[in-house]
Amino acid sequence: MSLELPIDIHTVKGFLAASEGEALHHLAVEACGLGACLEVGSYCGKSTVYLASACKLVDGVLYAVDHHRGSEEHQPGEEYHDPELFDEDIQLMDSFRTFRTNIRAAQLEDWVVPVVAPSSVVARRWNTPLGLVFIDGGHSREAAMTDYRCWARHIVPGGYLAIHDIFPDPADGGQAPYEIYNLALASAQFELVETVDTLGILRRV
């Protein structure tokens, strides 16, 4: 039986498979008992809806971190560029308006704290313990490494690290998320819980 969400998720732009979103939802329900939830890379709010719907069930909170200027692949001329999200006046990507529209339509504003800034800037003074960190930001090696190094250390013992777009075979997709996934496992601070499509779920030991 599919998960019931407060909005037709197919109307929300994004690249998260339904199976991955449902896995995040169930994970967040458990993680909220350990600390706040945080996602890096909200885009138009697809993953946010899955996570915040879980937070609503258990009176949790989701911090949604994104500068909303698009990742490398969203820029003009790149594979995943969306002209509807391009602000012609300032010649920059801007997904924040669409993100807010979707979260409002889903009636989830009371469970989402949008943080509109680069991941590294937000993390500078961060001190809130996290039960779940979902990394789905920029897919360059530098961006993925920055997100991992900034946020993995804030996950409480027993909390979860979820990483999207893990492709062991380079022919299937970029390798940066797979690199930080392997880095987390090699650190001995995380153990594998499961993989769902391209979503890797790890627990902090």
Side-chain angles (χ1 to χ4, degrees):
M1 183 176 180
S2 62
L3 179 68
E4 290 188 14
L5 296 170
I7 189 174
D8 181 358
I9 201 66
H10 298 99
T11 67
V12 181
K13 295 177 186 288
F15 311 97
L16 192 72
S19 57
E20 297 169 337
E22 291 180 16
L24 285 175
H25 176 91
H26 296 307
L27 194 63
V29 170
E30 180 181 346
C32 281
L34 301 170
C37 297
L38 182 144
E39 66 171 1
V40 181
S42 303
Y43 194 48
C44 294
K46 178 163 284 193
S47 59
T48 317
V49 169
Y50 281 106
L51 291 166
S53 296
C55 291
K56 181 179 180 179
L57 290 175
V58 292
D59 197 27
V61 66
L62 171 68
Y63 293 94
V65 178
D66 196 318
H67 49 59
H68 287 284
R69 294 304 186 196
S71 300
E72 302 81 5
E73 64 270 22
H74 299 145
Q75 304 310 313
E78 298 299 324
E79 183 178 2
Y80 293 104
H81 176 65
D82 186 339
E84 292 183 1
L85 300 177
F86 189 73
D87 189 326
E88 293 287 350
D89 292 336
I90 59 175
Q91 290 294 294
L92 290 171
M93 293 294 295
D94 187 358
S95 55
F96 187 49
R97 181 186 294 272
T98 302
F99 169 85
R100 292 196 69 179
T101 297
N102 288 330
I103 300 309
R104 181 175 179 81
Q107 300 181 19
L108 290 171
E109 290 175 304
D110 289 345
W111 293 272
V112 179
V113 181
V115 187
V116 186
S119 175
S120 59
V121 174
V122 180
R124 282 179 194 165
R125 297 289 182 176
W126 191 268
N127 57 17
T128 300
L130 299 171
L132 168 64
V133 168
F134 172 50
I135 296 180
D136 191 21
H139 284 19
S140 69
R141 189 174 190 276
E142 180 182 1
M145 286 292 181
T146 295
D147 291 339
Y148 172 71
R149 289 169 177 157
C150 282
W151 297 108
R153 58 193 172 94
H154 293 290
I155 302 171
V156 301
Y160 297 95
L161 172 64
I163 302 171
H164 192 225
D165 288 333
I166 294 175
F167 296 107
D169 185 345
D172 295 330
Q175 292 297 284
Y178 186 52
E179 285 186 36
I180 63 171
Y181 167 80
N182 285 326
L183 187 63
L185 289 175
S187 72
Q189 295 182 4
F190 292 93
E191 60 183 9
L192 179 62
V193 176
E194 66 173 331
T195 58
V196 179
D197 291 340
T198 72
L199 178 71
I201 299 172
L202 303 91
R203 180 188 293 112
R204 182 157 192 176
V205 298

